[in-house]
Amino acid sequence: MASNKNISEDIQKIEEKKEKQEKDNSVEENLQEEIDNLKDLLIREKAENENLRKRFKKELEDTHKFAISKFVKNLTEQVENLFRASDNIDLKSCEENSELKTLFEGVEITKKNLLKVFHDFDVERIYPINQIFNHELHEAISQIEDEDKEPNTIINVVQAGYTINGRLIKPAVVIVTKK
């Protein structure tokens, strides 16, 4: 009988050991699952942080690129005044009057120097005469019938437009053709 009791105890010990091992395996599986979840979460957080860093870097670059936009927009009015002044000076009168010629040359040099500074800061003038109208860069204020030109061809630029680093800061004000 003692041997039956020992066998019974041995079976019970084996079953307890088996249960303990199953619990340990279950705990180990739960821990491994939690480790995998934490690794996944860490990878996602790193990716999100990298995306945020890239976005903030781009925003900072854009801020630097376009910080002078308002200043440039106001300065473009003065450049356009120089264009209007040189367009309205009578060249024949310049040949006859040395003071008028000097004034004209001064206006041209000033205009040229301002346009060079604009170019250095990626500010471009839009003067789209004889080009097809583009609603992203131009603002049409009138249409004129013209059978010789394609519809929506710009025949007159009332006011030049400007971009800075490819971004429109002032559309060109134009007159276009229609059939």
Side-chain angles (χ1 to χ4, degrees):
M1 263 227 140
S3 71
N4 280 345
K5 187 176 179 187
N6 285 341
I7 292 175
S8 195
E9 286 175 2
D10 288 344
I11 291 174
Q12 189 176 0
K13 284 180 184 178
I14 290 173
E15 286 177 356
E16 287 174 359
K17 204 177 204 182
K18 191 176 178 183
E19 282 180 21
K20 185 177 187 280
Q21 192 174 15
E22 286 176 0
K23 279 184 182 179
D24 289 347
N25 286 344
S26 176
V27 167
E28 191 175 303
E29 287 173 7
N30 287 342
L31 288 174
Q32 188 58 47
E33 187 178 320
E34 191 172 333
I35 288 170
D36 291 343
N37 287 340
L38 289 172
K39 282 181 181 177
D40 186 53
L41 182 63
L42 181 63
I43 290 169
R44 290 176 191 269
E45 289 294 327
K46 282 179 105 175
E48 187 175 332
N49 284 340
E50 182 65 20
N51 289 339
L52 279 172
R53 190 185 64 73
K54 286 178 183 177
R55 189 173 82 222
F56 288 143
K57 182 179 178 185
K58 171 100 172 81
E59 286 176 8
L60 185 61
E61 287 172 359
D62 286 351
T63 299
H64 287 339
K65 273 188 200 176
F66 303 112
I68 62 170
S69 293
K70 190 173 181 180
F71 172 73
V72 169
K73 189 173 182 178
N74 289 330
L75 195 56
T76 61
E77 298 293 329
Q78 307 318 311
V79 172
E80 289 306 306
N81 286 338
L82 292 173
F83 272 97
R84 281 189 280 280
S86 63
D87 289 346
N88 289 313
I89 292 176
D90 182 20
L91 296 178
K92 188 175 181 183
S93 298
C94 286
E95 292 172 10
E96 298 168 2
N97 185 334
S98 64
E99 289 176 356
L100 188 58
K101 182 178 181 182
T102 304
L103 177 67
F104 177 74
E105 289 171 353
V107 167
E108 287 298 307
I109 290 170
T110 303
K111 182 173 70 174
K112 181 181 171 188
N113 288 341
L114 276 172
L115 290 175
K116 184 189 178 315
V117 170
F118 276 9
H119 181 72
D120 292 345
F121 285 91
D122 292 320
V123 176
E124 299 297 323
R125 185 172 189 250
I126 303 170
Y127 198 83
I129 195 79
N130 293 324
Q131 294 179 10
I132 298 297
F133 178 79
N134 177 348
H135 71 278
E136 293 177 356
L137 300 173
H138 313 133
E139 180 181 324
I141 59 169
S142 180
Q143 287 186 319
I144 296 177
E145 288 185 23
D146 189 335
E147 297 296 323
D148 298 333
K149 297 193 181 211
E150 289 290 317
N152 292 323
T153 300
I154 298 169
I155 58 170
N156 190 4
V157 179
V158 177
Q159 188 175 4
Y162 286 87
T163 63
I164 185 167
N165 292 306
R167 181 187 285 179
L168 184 68
I169 58 174
K170 187 177 190 182
V173 180
V174 298
I175 298 174
V176 296
T177 60
K178 67 178 181 178
K179 286 279 184 195

